[in-house]
Amino acid sequence: MERVLTWRHTAANGLLPLYLLRQLRLWQRRLRTRRQLAALDERQLADVGISQSERVEELSKPFWR
């Protein structure tokens, strides 16, 4: 599980730019993997053990979640 820093902790010790960079990378990774998930066909979904309803649920999330 990724460690999540709060705004107060990062601003207090000068890590805000690093925190923002990590957040941007996380959001990019989520966008990329959700695009890949959207491109899978039924056989590929079955191979990785994801149901159609699970895919729809994941694709409906905003990139920040």
Side-chain angles (χ1 to χ4, degrees):
M1 182 164 38
E2 292 186 28
R3 183 176 173 188
V4 178
L5 299 174
T6 64
W7 180 265
R8 184 174 28 176
H9 290 128
T10 57
N13 62 16
L15 293 177
L16 186 59
L18 181 59
Y19 170 77
L20 292 175
L21 180 62
R22 286 182 178 165
Q23 279 302 116
L24 289 173
R25 286 182 179 165
L26 174 63
W27 293 343
Q28 286 177 327
R29 186 171 51 244
R30 286 178 181 164
L31 285 169
R32 182 177 59 252
T33 58
R34 288 178 182 157
R35 282 189 202 121
Q36 292 170 343
L37 179 62
L40 297 178
D41 62 26
E42 292 296 322
R43 183 187 58 79
Q44 292 169 323
L45 283 175
D47 284 348
V48 294
I50 299 175
S51 70
Q52 182 66 22
S53 62
E54 289 171 323
R55 173 167 72 172
V56 169
E57 181 180 336
E58 185 65 29
L59 294 177
S60 67
K61 292 180 184 178
F63 66 89
W64 60 87
R65 288 189 45 216

